Amino acid sequence: MDSQTLYRSKLVTIPEAIGKIKSHQTVGVGMAASEPPGLLAELGNHRDRLDDVHVWVCLPLGSYSFVLDPSMEGHFFIENWFYGAADRKVHAQGRESYIPNNLHQASTRKLYANKNKVNVFIGTATPPDSRGYMSLSLGIVLERQLIDAADIVILEINENLPWTLGDTQVHLSEVDYLVENHVAISQLPVVPPTEAEEAIGGYIAELIDDGSTLQLGIGGIPNAITPFLMKRKDLGIHTEMFTDGMVDLYNAGVITNRRKTLWKGKMVGAFALGTQKLYDFVKNNLAVEFQQGRVTNDPYVIGRNYRMVSINTALQVDILGQVCSQSIGYKHFSGTGGQLDTHRGAQLSEGGRGIIALRSTARNNEISTIVPFLSEGAEVTVPSHDVDTIVSEYGVADLKGLCLRDRALALIKIAHPDFQAHIKEEAMRLGIVPHF
Ligand code: COA
């Protein structure tokens, strides 16, 4: 059968495709900009015929009734390993729960929800080429593995998705049903950095030598760094997430990937999330290699890079050096993603460094993010024995190898001046710092 005939033979409507899902099944979903918006919007319309369907997601971007509508209770349960704004609201209502996880292990069988099995995978892809191959486009963190594991594979074809290179190809013969939905791709706008974020960007840039390979994480700070790197030479990228800032550095000739040890000449990552500028950049770009999350985020793979520097963000750090990036006390906020993978991997690299950056205060300077001890309920994302370097707008705390007393002293120095006295007092009261 020629590929056009094969393509047409698998085409169904969106309601027909969702009609293949049965009660008590688990549905795996493409993540972030690779989520299938047409299929996800349809899911809630099948509420009355579906009971106890587990929907397994990561970093969902859209607003969908199966998540937001309280009447979905008992029909859909969401298992999510990276929360967005909608998930934070729904979590408290009990229809959604968080899966603790490291990104490089995200698609191992042990993590599949509901009896370790994904029954149906729903994702996105470009239209096929003349030989029947499609590109999984903006993300293969776990999509490729879910396609292999699922009993039924449904792809939402969108001609606006860029064809990307690397391990992204999937053939029509691997797919059961196709739907067409040529909508605009979800974007993550770049927010202009605050003064504090710019100061942090400046400190971090000083820690990055020419020829380093970088991972930049999610949040305001990683994007604030890129303007400070414009004078560096021959940087490389080995990341989980491609970002807009990387495009600027590449176009300025700062990122050349020439001195990388792995995938020399190419930026490597598992998914892209940003603006249309980024999506245009990754399209058919031989300098951009998409690899599965189990590869990009394997700490031992990351560690084979020369001068690997990982840069991630946190919500709270305590004076022992415990980092929390995924919750505000008991309130679950986001996820670990690949934070620990990349923080550990960077430290395995020759000349590497794991950086966690955070603004020293939150909520209009009312609270310190550097604290004597993490808030009750805080979920640690980097344990104290893994932590390397913490940066705030007040400087750099190089914690690796320091005893607890010296860690506390180093962290107090980079806390906001208004909170330093309180943290010191608490450090003494807790017996971490005997006296000053
Ligand atoms: N206590 C209470 N509230 C706090 C806080 C604290 N210690 N720290 C931050 N907040 C609030 C902020 O005020 C802000 O509130 P608002 O939305 O009402 O303004 C909110 O929490 C988000 O903080 P912000 O610092 O703006 O977040 P960000 O968008 O820069 O993202 C993380 C930071 C940590 C949430 C994000 O990087 C993340 O989820 N990281 C974990 C995963 C990871 O690093 N993966 C690897 C790379 S993909």
Side-chain angles (χ1 to χ4, degrees), residues 338-404:
Q339 182 168 105
L340 188 55
D341 292 340
T342 53
H343 196 76
R344 280 181 170 157
Q347 292 177 74
L348 292 172
S349 136
E350 191 191 332
R353 188 188 283 270
I355 297 175
I356 298 290
L358 81 172
R359 283 172 292 175
S360 68
T361 59
R363 299 203 178 131
N364 297 323
N365 297 334
E366 279 166 22
I367 50 172
S368 177
T369 56
I370 297 173
V371 288
F373 40 88
L374 292 181
S375 301
E376 190 174 310
E379 300 167 64
V380 171
T381 48
V382 179
S384 58
H385 47 275
D386 275 300
V387 81
D388 184 357
T389 304
I390 308 282
V391 180
S392 81
E393 69 273 32
Y394 293 100
V396 177
D398 202 344
L399 299 185
K400 202 74 196 179
L402 296 188
C403 64
L404 295 183

Side-chain angles (χ1 to χ4, degrees), residues 82 217-218 220 240 312-313 315 328 333-336 339 359 362 367:
F82 204 104
I218 196 163
E240 65 192 64
N312 293 301
T313 317
L315 295 168
I328 298 173
F333 191 84
S334 55
T336 313
Q339 182 168 105
R359 283 172 292 175
I367 50 172

